[in-house]
Amino acid sequence: MKTFFYALLTLMTLSNLRVQAQGKITGQVTDNKNKIVEFATITLLQAKDSSLVKGALADANGTFEFEKIKFDNYLIAISQLGYQKFYTPKLTLSPENPLLRLSNLILIEESKELNEVVVTAKKPFIEQQIDKTIVNVENSVVSAGNTAIEILEKSPGVTVDKDGNISLKGKQNVMVMLDGKPTYMSSSDLANMLRNMQSTQLDKIEIMTNPPAKYDAAGNAGVINIRLKKNQNLGFNGSANLGLGYGFYQSLPKENASVNLNYRKEKLNIFGNFSANDRQSFQLQEIDRKFFENGKVTSSFNQSADEKRRNNSLAYKIGADYFLDKKNTIGFLFNGMNGNWNTDRNNQTAIKNAMNQLDTTSVTLGIIRDKWANYSTNLNFKHVIDSTGREITADLDYARYDADNSMKYRTSKYDTQNILRETRNEDGLTGSKINIYSLKVDLIYPINKTSKFEAGLKSSYVNSNNDMRFDFLVGDNNTPVLDPTRTRNFVYKENINAAYINYSKEFKRLNMQLGLRMENTNGQGTLLGKDLLDRHYTNFFPSIFFRQKLAKNHQLGYSFSRRIDRPSYEDLNPFLFFLDPYTYQRGNELLQPQYTNAFEVSHTYKESFTTTINYSKTEGVMTQILEQNNALKTTNATKINIGYVENLGISFSLPLPITKWWFSNTYFNLYNNHYVGDIPKTTIAADGSSTTVFEPFNARATSYTANMTHQFTLPRKYSVELSGWYLSPFIEGQLAGNPMGAVSFGIQKKMMNDKASVKLNINDIFWTQRFNGVFLFNDIDVQLRNKWESRVVRINFSYRFGNSKIAGARQRNTGLEDEKNRVKSGGN
């Protein structure tokens, strides 16, 4: 703590350094309907000859600023597609008037008619920027009424598998953030949260494949930052949304509603939102397994499972910013989500002998009820040191995750004559409680016009407590008898201390950014009160970025970063999770972190068409494997560290306005994954003894993903969108997957002076979004087939009310970092 205090004092001392004061111009752009004009092009011109001084891009709130401007006379020109160009009168910066705050920057809409088609301006669904790809969710007709995970499936370079695990450019272990704050969840719990998050809550999705040192070092594939909506106006205003959807296969309803509210007056801004979600769905799964002895098949299983799912959730947020004065702002933010995830599962298994003849039929009925609640609170402070952009921010965070899961399994076994021969009944209870504390401080310190220094400190503490109890129900009275192999209490405590520095410099034709992040990790785990693991390690993570301007329309970018992925708390938990009488999932307390070195080279033409070549190598890669007990005919799924995986790829991004009313965006990624390592093979003898040998594993596959979106702006305020994505055959460790994809269509009508809109869409029109794959290695031969209710028709109505003129709540990143991605917090 003493070291942390001195480091903080050093940052504050640095903040008091001064350079020569210069002028500053700020402003905000609206249109003649009092609407915010986002991302307008702003140019600062010399008043005497209109020569260019500086250029800028307004942000999502329509605001812009020019800093470190010499005292002189200027003009400002503002342009945006769909509006007439705007010029200010002459502006004078002087020692007596060093700060200009411009108002009444109002653009006039400009409509053009081409073959009876009215053209208006809007952001495309997908935007490609220098350091990130942005998915503008609100501007997609197809996304209306969808969940967050369904929108991610349409995003360029993103792949979501049958269990909701997210990959980016063929690489797993993506760090997912909400408003710059990591989600602190394991992959299964993150998938459940995203399934309960509506598109009406989302503003945009930022995809960064090689983030800088300011971000936590977790996530070898990069960062996906989901920006939630924040109202942008003075006075009282907000929006409301209603949605209804039905699937084609079983016509199960999906209902959602949300409201966003904002109130801002003078120094105070209060904002909040509330959303409710109730969805019914299904999943059909088939699994074929073969068991071997001395290379010959001794038996085979054909399993089919029919799941009915119903999940409902309530999500709510409230926050406030109070502007103490021009330099100091304080704020708080509270997020919460409560939900239920209910599954009724009918699992039938046909067990066959070596001659492929039916021997036994096993039927398992499963009733799973999961209740979960997630809460997080943030207190924050921002101090603006001077007008050159120097500032200090501090965040104090607390988060809590609760989950309670009850399971009832009833298994009946029948012979070939369909006569009941055996029953097995069991009940299970699991509970998970996680508390997370975090403190971080960041300094932004421009040195001069062309260079900037950034630094930060962060400390976090996590306490994860997990309980599991299983009972067999014995006798006519179903007397519970404890199963000690599945009754555990696992406690994991972890402290991560981090510091980073970042230096950026602009030259005439070259920009560079150098960063270094240090992370110290201390973790202790106990099982039933006994020490299970104790880990202490410190790592350094450099990052290097260069951007070179070759010619007027050509830019090259180079980047390198080193990253880490720590095991999730769920993966470290040595519980034996029951899936069915023959399938289990268990954690591995011996699982170690994996480390990735990643390189990228990109070329951008006309700040639009981008080509990127990437290479990464992950050492000690965490890989899911299947362990098969041929004697008991059971299969365990677990994760281990193997040698390494190499990823080599090339991607193309082409946003293209084909006409003034037809916009197209195409993304294509070709990549090769190469896994090398040793995988254990355990053989269990008749007396119960076991021997383990390591078999070499070498798997390689070249795959590709493609995303395409076409948006059409039609007369009478109609718009149409057609989109699709495709994933070719791929490998992830032992798993080889078959191709999958989807085509979606949507139409939108704006009304009531553009304050209301109705969107109708059909997702996965041809019902091609289904998963087929195979685990095939040594004596493992397992084939999987999954399909779910992805073909859905939805209608969504939204309405905006109140003042729609002035920008409101500020975007900010809180202090909850990558450990939050690893929390067990919700349903399965």
Side-chain angles (χ1 to χ4, degrees):
M1 190 68 187
K2 186 176 180 181
T3 302
F4 185 90
F5 174 80
Y6 283 134
L8 177 59
L9 184 62
T10 301
L11 288 180
M12 297 184 69
T13 302
L14 282 173
S15 71
N16 289 319
L17 297 176
R18 291 290 185 268
V19 297
Q20 181 181 356
Q22 295 168 308
K24 181 178 181 179
I25 302 175
T26 66
Q28 184 182 41
V29 186
T30 60
D31 66 10
N32 54 324
K33 294 183 178 179
N34 291 329
K35 290 165 47 180
I36 297 294
V37 176
E38 303 174 329
F39 308 109
T41 300
I42 318 295
T43 52
L44 181 66
L45 310 173
Q46 287 282 359
K48 58 183 178 181
D49 58 6
S50 295
S51 60
L52 177 65
V53 179
K54 276 190 175 185
L57 193 69
D59 62 17
N61 298 326
T63 60
F64 67 89
E65 65 179 24
F66 292 107
E67 296 182 305
K68 296 170 285 186
I69 306 299
K70 294 180 180 179
F71 297 141
D72 205 341
N73 297 322
Y74 299 99
L75 301 174
I76 285 183
I78 305 173
S79 60
Q80 176 61 292
L81 182 64
Y83 294 93
Q84 299 176 17
K85 196 164 186 178
F86 175 87
Y87 290 91
T88 66
K90 184 175 72 171
L91 308 171
T92 300
L93 274 180
S94 65
E96 296 77 22
N97 192 23
L99 175 60
L100 296 181
R101 299 183 185 275
L102 305 183
S103 58
N104 297 320
L105 302 178
I106 300 174
L107 302 188
I108 306 299
E109 288 189 354
E110 178 181 58
S111 296
K112 298 181 180 179
E113 191 169 309
L114 292 176
N115 298 328
E116 298 183 351
V117 176
V118 178
V119 181
T120 56
K122 70 172 183 177
K123 291 183 293 182
F125 177 46
I126 296 173
E127 288 184 286
Q128 186 69 42
Q129 296 188 1
I130 293 296
D131 58 345
K132 69 186 73 170
T133 299
I134 297 177
V135 180
N136 294 303
V137 177
E138 190 173 18
N139 293 326
S140 171
V141 181
V142 168
S143 297
N146 278 219
T147 65
I149 203 165
E150 290 170 329
I151 296 170
L152 281 173
E153 290 171 337
K154 301 180 178 70
S155 301
V158 179
T159 304
V160 182
D161 70 11
K162 62 182 179 64
D163 299 317
N165 298 313
I166 299 170
S167 301
L168 182 58
K169 286 191 174 182
K171 296 188 289 184
Q172 295 179 313
N173 299 299
V174 181
M175 181 164 68
V176 178
M177 310 174 78
L178 293 179
D179 285 334
K181 175 183 65 178
T183 46
Y184 282 48
M185 295 181 182
S186 65
S187 57
S188 60
D189 302 317
L190 175 62
N192 286 336
M193 186 193 72
L194 295 177
R195 289 187 183 106
N196 283 278
M197 185 176 290
Q198 305 168 35
S199 62
T200 54
Q201 297 173 252
L202 276 57
D203 177 29
K204 59 185 176 182
I205 299 172
E206 299 172 339
I207 302 171
M208 293 170 278
T209 56
N210 220 359
K214 183 175 183 179
Y215 290 90
D216 275 22
N220 84 85
V223 170
I224 295 177
N225 186 23
I226 301 174
R227 291 285 186 184
L228 302 180
K229 285 184 179 178
K230 289 182 173 61
N231 210 296
Q232 301 176 347
N233 312 306
L234 275 181
F236 175 75
N237 50 74
S239 63
N241 295 271
L242 290 173
L244 178 65
Y246 278 93
F248 281 79
Y249 185 73
Q250 295 186 0
S251 298
L252 298 175
K254 296 131 185 36
E255 304 160 334
N256 63 82
S258 67
V259 61
N260 295 274
L261 301 172
N262 188 81
Y263 176 76
R264 182 170 181 177
K265 185 177 182 180
E266 297 177 351
K267 294 185 176 183
L268 178 65
N269 182 56
I270 302 174
F271 55 94
N273 61 54
F274 177 87
S275 65
N277 175 55
D278 189 0
R279 302 169 63 87
Q280 298 184 54
S281 61
F282 72 90
Q283 177 174 269
L284 303 176
Q285 184 179 64
E286 295 180 353
I287 304 176
D288 296 331
R289 314 186 209 188
K290 293 180 181 179
F291 295 88
F292 298 85
E293 186 174 332
N294 298 323
K296 296 182 179 180
V297 177
T298 58
S299 64
S300 61
F301 284 23
N302 301 116
Q303 292 181 274
S304 61
D306 182 354
E307 291 187 0
K308 296 288 196 313
R309 298 175 172 177
R310 181 168 186 172
N311 61 292
N312 53 70
S313 64
L314 298 175
Y316 37 92
K317 175 202 291 185
I318 185 169
D321 292 323
Y322 185 74
F323 304 90
L324 298 171
D325 51 41
K326 294 181 180 180
K327 291 189 174 184
N328 297 285
T329 305
I330 59 173
F332 87 93
L333 182 66
F334 176 81
N335 277 292
M337 181 179 284
N338 300 76
N340 296 277
W341 186 272
N342 300 328
T343 303
D344 295 328
R345 179 183 298 156
N346 185 346
N347 190 321
Q348 299 192 41
T349 304
I351 304 173
K352 301 179 181 180
N353 58 26
M355 304 299 294
N356 202 34
Q357 298 170 330
L358 183 64
D359 181 71
T360 305
T361 301
S362 175
V363 178
T364 298
L365 301 178
I367 301 175
I368 299 106
R369 299 292 181 261
D370 187 9
K371 295 179 64 176
W372 48 273
N374 305 336
Y375 309 100
S376 63
T377 302
N378 166 258
L379 299 176
N380 57 84
F381 172 75
K382 177 181 178 181
H383 171 65
V384 177
I385 300 169
D386 55 32
S387 61
T388 64
R390 298 173 183 173
E391 65 180 38
I392 289 180
T393 59
D395 290 91
L396 178 65
D397 292 89
Y398 168 72
R400 180 177 175 87
Y401 295 81
D402 291 334
D404 293 292
N405 186 293
S406 68
M407 298 158 282
K408 298 181 182 294
Y409 296 102
R410 305 294 182 259
T411 301
S412 302
K413 293 185 179 180
Y414 302 85
D415 62 16
T416 56
Q417 304 301 316
N418 204 31
I419 298 175
L420 180 63
R421 295 299 184 185
E422 182 183 344
T423 61
R424 170 176 166 167
N425 300 328
E426 51 203 309
D427 291 347
L429 293 172
T430 64
S432 177
K433 299 185 185 302
I434 297 98
N435 291 282
I436 303 172
Y437 308 85
S438 175
L439 171 66
K440 79 180 183 83
V441 180
D442 295 285
L443 168 69
I444 299 177
Y445 194 89
I447 299 171
N448 51 41
K449 293 181 180 180
T450 61
S451 60
K452 182 171 65 174
F453 173 77
E454 296 176 274
L457 298 169
K458 174 221 156 184
S459 184
S460 66
Y461 175 76
V462 178
N463 188 322
S464 172
N465 194 320
N466 302 272
D467 284 301
M468 171 178 276
R469 176 188 174 97
F470 259 90
D471 293 295
F472 289 110
L473 305 183
V474 180
D476 295 336
N477 296 325
N478 284 333
T479 304
V481 177
L482 185 68
D483 178 7
T485 64
R486 289 183 290 165
T487 299
R488 304 287 181 91
N489 174 252
F490 177 66
V491 178
Y492 184 73
K493 299 178 181 179
E494 186 178 75
N495 165 240
I496 300 177
N497 302 297
Y500 76 88
I501 56 174
N502 215 58
Y503 175 75
S504 57
K505 175 71 174 177
E506 296 180 10
F507 299 95
K508 185 176 181 180
R509 303 182 68 87
L510 178 70
N511 294 345
M512 75 171 187
Q513 179 175 291
L514 307 177
L516 180 65
R517 186 177 187 91
M518 181 278 294
E519 293 188 352
N520 167 258
T521 305
N522 306 278
Q524 298 85 35
T526 60
L527 181 65
L528 297 175
K530 298 181 180 180
D531 291 340
L532 184 68
L533 58 92
D534 189 6
R535 296 176 181 172
H536 306 273
Y537 51 92
T538 300
N539 302 111
F540 291 88
F541 303 96
S543 60
I544 303 171
F545 299 85
F546 290 97
R547 188 173 65 189
Q548 181 181 10
K549 187 173 183 180
L550 300 179
K552 179 180 179 181
N553 294 323
H554 296 272
Q555 287 187 344
L556 277 180
Y558 317 86
S559 65
F560 164 79
S561 68
R562 178 170 172 82
R563 305 188 68 78
I564 184 176
D565 288 288
R566 301 175 181 88
S568 72
Y569 312 133
E570 185 181 46
D571 291 336
L572 288 172
N573 191 341
F575 285 179
L576 198 63
F577 294 95
F578 181 95
L579 302 178
D580 62 58
Y582 307 101
T583 312
Y584 297 84
Q585 181 176 332
R586 67 174 180 85
N588 177 10
E589 67 276 14
L590 301 179
L591 199 61
Q592 298 289 329
Q594 65 182 27
Y595 297 88
T596 300
N597 293 316
F599 303 83
E600 279 192 0
V601 178
S602 64
H603 172 263
T604 303
Y605 176 66
K606 289 188 175 181
E607 297 186 355
S608 177
F609 180 33
T610 302
T611 303
T612 303
I613 298 175
N614 65 276
Y615 169 81
S616 68
K617 183 174 183 179
T618 302
E619 300 282 356
V621 60
M622 295 182 289
T623 305
Q624 186 177 71
I625 66 167
L626 298 182
E627 299 174 322
Q628 199 157 268
N629 188 323
N630 292 325
L632 298 177
K633 305 296 187 290
T634 60
T635 303
N636 287 332
T638 190
K639 281 188 176 181
I640 66 169
N641 298 101
I642 68 172
Y644 64 87
V645 59
E646 291 180 304
N647 175 276
L648 176 64
I650 183 171
S651 63
F652 305 92
S653 177
L654 179 58
L656 180 64
I658 298 175
T659 69
K660 292 188 176 181
W661 52 269
W662 177 4
F663 186 86
S664 168
N665 194 97
T666 302
Y667 177 86
F668 180 82
N669 180 37
L670 177 71
Y671 62 91
N672 178 276
N673 278 339
H674 184 200
Y675 288 84
V676 177
D678 296 319
I679 293 181
K681 175 183 176 182
T682 302
T683 303
I684 300 178
D687 60 1
S689 62
S690 62
T691 57
T692 300
V693 297
F694 287 86
E695 300 285 348
F697 178 71
N698 193 319
R700 182 196 295 267
T702 298
S703 310
Y704 64 89
T705 62
N707 301 70
M708 181 173 286
T709 302
H710 294 274
Q711 294 177 317
F712 306 89
T713 303
L714 304 180
R716 302 193 179 190
K717 298 185 179 181
Y718 281 95
S719 58
V720 170
E721 181 178 315
L722 180 66
S723 66
W725 62 273
Y726 178 79
L727 171 64
S728 73
F730 64 94
I731 63 166
E732 289 180 1
Q734 285 183 308
L735 175 66
N738 292 329
M740 59 190 297
V743 174
S744 301
F745 171 83
I747 185 170
Q748 173 182 257
K749 166 68 173 175
K750 289 187 176 181
M751 57 189 71
M752 302 172 66
N753 293 323
D754 292 343
K755 289 187 175 182
S757 66
V758 176
K759 299 178 182 180
L760 177 69
N761 59 57
I762 303 176
N763 280 274
D764 194 10
I765 298 173
F766 305 108
W767 204 17
T768 52
Q769 188 177 343
R770 54 187 66 185
F771 176 81
N772 296 312
V774 58
F775 283 90
L776 191 62
F777 180 72
N778 291 335
D779 62 346
I780 304 292
D781 187 342
V782 177
Q783 298 186 30
L784 308 171
R785 293 177 295 279
N786 277 65
K787 55 184 177 181
W788 52 92
E789 197 176 34
S790 58
R791 185 167 59 175
V792 177
V793 58
R794 294 181 173 91
I795 186 169
N796 191 82
F797 174 78
S798 62
Y799 177 73
R800 293 183 295 106
F801 52 87
N803 191 333
S804 58
K805 186 176 181 181
I806 308 298
R810 60 193 173 101
Q811 289 274 5
R812 58 178 179 266
N813 297 344
T814 68
L816 299 179
E817 300 299 336
D818 70 292
E819 58 277 353
K820 191 171 181 182
N821 286 311
R822 301 154 54 210
V823 167
K824 170 71 176 175
S825 67
N828 297 310

